[in-house]
Amino acid sequence: MAQSHWLSRRDFLKFAGIGAVGAATSDMSPGLSFVSKALAQSNASPDLEVRLRAVEREVSILPGTPTKVWTYQGEVLQGDAAALQTIPDSYLGPIFRVRRGQRVRIHFVNELPEASIIHWHGLVLPEAMDAHPRYAIAPGQTYAYEFEVINRAGTYWYHPHPHGATATQVYKGLAGLFIVRDDEEAAVGLPDGAYDLPLVFQDRSFDADNQLAYITGGMMTQMMTQMMGFLGDHILVNGKPEFELDVEARAYRLRLLNGSNFRMLKLGWEDGTPLTVIGTDGGLLEVPTERPYVTLSPGERIELWVDFGEWPVGAQLLLKSLSFRGVEMGGMMMGGMAMPESTTLPQGEEYSVLKVNVVQESTETSLLPERLSTIERYSLEDAVNSGTPRTFAIAMLNEGWTLNGRSFEMEAVADDEIVRANTLEVWEFVNVVNSDGMGGMGNMPGHNMGNMSGSNATTEDQMAHPMHIHGVQFQILDRIIDDAFRDGWETVSAGYVDVGWKDTVLLMSGERVRLLMRFSGDTGLYVFHCHNLEHEDLGLMRNYRIE
Ligand code: C2O
Ligand code: CU
Ligand code: CU
């Protein structure tokens, strides 16, 4: 990395309150047995070698008593110390900064009191590196990752993935960004260093003693919250409440991640200034594109180009989550019982998420590039199943969440969940209960959806699901919204950014979406699931096998 880059990184640290890990020493707890999984490791020394420990500790989030959290702590063992950046006083894990083509070795040390495993969300990796839930390691164990970063430049992230405990582990604080750079991106000349800011949005609730509060209430309330998803009372940005950003009057690149369990964001400036989107989950778009607001569901990333020079020094801007409808189901769930309100910040209500203060003049005039990257467009005709999309219908069945009528099973793969390596496929996710109650299953011979057709389906039954597929970056071919749901859909659809590479796609109630994806040559078992983490843990996840 060039010297100038390193210096600008310093400025960045000062600005965003982020410090490089540098020579941080973190002694490993004595008595831990470091049992490495038997994984083939190349003898070649990696470009970056990191020890990443998942530990319990305390951080100061609200004024007063510190909060017990679970967090990733990183330490560079080999390679550029600036490749890991900690966010001081935040529970978020260190930000990885790597280049495409680099070989990374990561020793994940589980110092938590329960099993865990790390998933690298958005990266295309061999199966054993992708962290299928069956690879979860027990407390005290180590899992050795070693992989080459083949993804294009983009904002990826990492978080735990043990089945049944992903929601609680992420909620306790386990998550971090994984930023990839490459030559194509460098040639564009986007704002860099201090002007390239990651913003991770998460909602949390706290008890009277400042400790994280998760699902509470009576048994029935807890069950229902679990089925719907958990909403917190505070919006934290980079792990901090009431987040304010001091900026210069110039252009910035903002990397946004919605790291919430269930909360959807519809982000827009309070003064109505449109947003200039430059990237999605899998990196830069081909050209910048404007949106009145952006819809960001859990797991998704959006990159923005914002010229704060359009506002005078002294201006204060509010980034809000604007109001929307159609995400949560109505009163139909569990025998018609209405969902109790579990948060002071209901889904779809308008509230502010971030304050920006334009504090300083700038002589820098960086122009928005006309072209950002080249994206090879997939076409439907090239898909091996172009005439018969692989369809997965989402439905609640016997009070559990299902894909084509099945909940997650650790090892099982059904016939319609097997794909071939190196092929281009079209997949369709269906979030519609048809008037015949068949949940879009009419064209799925061989599935007995008798239970579903028993429910008298109405628009009240549906809720939104951000669907995520491991092991690929896909392209969104098209969407169809059922007329009965159009009103709610129109409160968010202008904020979809469907033109870039994606690994997570929001399906609103009543929506179906077709995706084009090419599987890599890595065979094995991968998962796809709803990134509403309560849904994922409740089984809205399935294996698919590449063979
Ligand atoms: Cu971000 Cu399988 O998850
Ligand atoms: Cu993932
Ligand atoms: Cu879901």
Side-chain angles (χ1 to χ4, degrees), residues 159-186:
H159 61 77
H161 221 294
H163 184 52
T166 296
T168 51
Q169 292 193 5
V170 171
Y171 188 74
K172 285 177 175 170
L174 295 167
L177 289 170
F178 194 101
I179 293 175
V180 178
R181 299 177 178 277
D182 66 13
D183 294 340
E184 185 188 33
E185 180 195 63

Side-chain angles (χ1 to χ4, degrees), residues 442-455:
N443 54 357
M444 292 286 306
H447 290 284
N448 177 7
M449 299 303 294
N451 289 327
M452 273 180 59
S453 51
S455 73

Side-chain angles (χ1 to χ4, degrees), residues 227-229 262 326-329 333 347 394 396 401 431 459-465 485 507-510 532 535:
M227 283 188 152
M228 181 83 87
F262 170 43
V327 166
E328 298 187 11
M329 58 174 81
M333 188 161 58
Q347 186 88 277
I394 305 160
M396 181 174 279
W401 287 106
N431 188 21
T459 54
E460 299 292 291
D461 286 333
Q462 300 293 134
M463 64 181 297
H465 302 279
F485 297 89
L507 276 91
M508 282 292 280
S509 307
N532 170 333
H535 289 185

